[in-house]
Amino acid sequence: PMPPDSQSQTIADELRGQILRGRYRAGDRLPSERELANLFHVHRGPVREALKKLEQMGLAAIRPGGARVCPIETASLDVLSHLLALSDPPDTHVVQMVFEVSAALSGLTFQLGVERGSDEQMERCLDLLDRLAKPDLNPTEEHEIALGLSATMVEASGNLVLALVHRGIRLQFLENLEHREELLRSPPEIRASRARAIAAALSKRDSHTVSKLLSDMAGQIGKNAIRIIESEHAATEESREKAYWRGSAQ
């Protein structure tokens, strides 16, 4: 048999998936410990631990009458990667919402970074922007430069909460995107033009212009990513239809 830790994780994963897919909705009562123990053929200990894991993620609240499902809006950022994993390609609505937040976050990060950063940090950013403006970057190089630029500006902002939110989005979202280097790139001519414009504004410590340019760039990257994911959804649907008709013809 599986060790208790593995049992509790298996149960938590199954219940989490059912909640995120809408099998259980906000306010619904989850099966009792006894029911879950019988369903998964385990003792109550792993079930209790699994319910605690759901509570820690903000997906359930354990009360004397049993565990009830919480609104998804009260969950922690940890559920984001699981929302993305519900389908392949990921749900475009979820991806779009993340990019909306990411664009606003990029603007705020660079505004604070330009206002508060040291000359040395700004020089680092200018060097990265100069590299970002080169037309012959491959997707991996572009991705790494963009991450370095963002990390430097987060550091320059001196804002711990901003750093934690950035890390959370990177771990829960960016690291869980398939082919993320391709998804997060922008057309070379647009990337080069914007990188030069950002560098010019940064040299003047014009935080407002830098913020707007970065927010616009992040928004455009998000639109490109959504377009690619939508085309993947269309291709997947077409493949399913073909498989269906092949099966019907046999």
Side-chain angles (χ1 to χ4, degrees):
M2 289 188 295
D5 285 350
S6 297
Q7 291 174 345
S8 66
Q9 190 60 56
T10 298
I11 298 167
D13 290 347
E14 178 63 28
L15 290 174
R16 183 193 63 229
Q18 292 186 15
I19 292 171
L20 295 180
R21 287 187 173 89
R23 165 66 178 80
Y24 296 106
R25 300 184 181 278
D28 286 353
R29 181 180 175 278
L30 291 173
S32 68
E33 288 184 7
R34 176 182 294 178
E35 291 169 328
L36 289 170
N38 290 335
L39 180 63
F40 288 95
H41 307 290
V42 298
H43 296 296
R44 288 198 187 186
V47 171
R48 200 168 293 122
E49 287 302 313
L51 293 174
K52 285 181 182 177
K53 291 177 190 291
L54 293 180
E55 188 171 50
Q56 289 168 358
M57 294 183 75
L59 289 175
I62 302 173
R63 298 289 182 266
R68 290 192 179 274
V69 177
C70 296
I72 188 67
E73 293 81 6
T74 68
S76 70
L77 190 61
D78 293 338
V79 304
L80 180 55
S81 62
H82 302 299
L83 282 170
L84 291 168
L86 288 179
S87 64
D88 183 20
D91 187 313
T92 52
H93 185 53
V94 175
V95 175
Q96 185 170 15
M97 288 190 290
V98 177
F99 273 115
E100 286 175 352
V101 173
S102 182
L105 197 63
S106 294
L108 175 61
T109 300
F110 276 74
Q111 178 182 338
L112 294 179
V114 172
E115 291 173 356
R116 301 173 179 176
S118 66
D119 290 341
E120 187 273 331
Q121 287 167 328
M122 295 305 101
E123 284 299 323
R124 261 194 281 158
C125 288
L126 287 171
D127 178 62
L128 289 166
L129 286 165
D130 181 60
R131 291 167 58 194
L132 196 62
K134 297 185 184 304
D136 56 348
L137 291 178
N138 63 47
T140 300
E141 290 171 330
E142 180 181 346
H143 183 64
E144 290 177 352
I145 292 170
L147 285 180
L149 188 60
S150 179
T152 303
M153 275 296 179
V154 169
E155 174 192 304
S157 76
N159 189 308
L160 174 61
V161 175
L162 198 57
L164 294 174
V165 174
H166 261 280
R167 177 174 170 76
I169 289 179
R170 180 172 62 81
L171 294 178
Q172 296 297 320
F173 178 62
L174 297 182
E175 299 301 326
N176 288 284
L177 280 179
E178 290 287 337
H179 314 299
R180 59 182 178 272
E181 288 86 356
E182 289 288 351
L183 282 175
L184 300 175
R185 73 181 318 199
S186 50
E189 63 280 0
I190 295 176
R191 168 173 46 78
S193 174
R194 283 187 171 154
R196 286 192 290 268
I198 293 167
L202 191 150
S203 297
K204 301 173 185 176
R205 293 274 186 162
D206 183 350
S207 61
H208 175 75
T209 300
V210 170
S211 172
K212 186 177 186 312
L213 289 168
L214 254 297
S215 182
D216 289 347
M217 177 182 277
Q220 184 59 53
I221 290 172
K223 289 178 182 177
N224 291 338
I226 291 294
R227 195 157 39 247
I228 293 171
I229 292 173
E230 284 178 341
S231 69
E232 290 178 353
H233 274 286
T236 300
E237 188 59 32
E238 182 180 356
S239 177
R240 286 174 181 164
E241 287 184 9
K242 288 180 179 178
Y244 171 79
W245 289 113
R246 280 198 301 270
S248 299
Q250 291 176 353

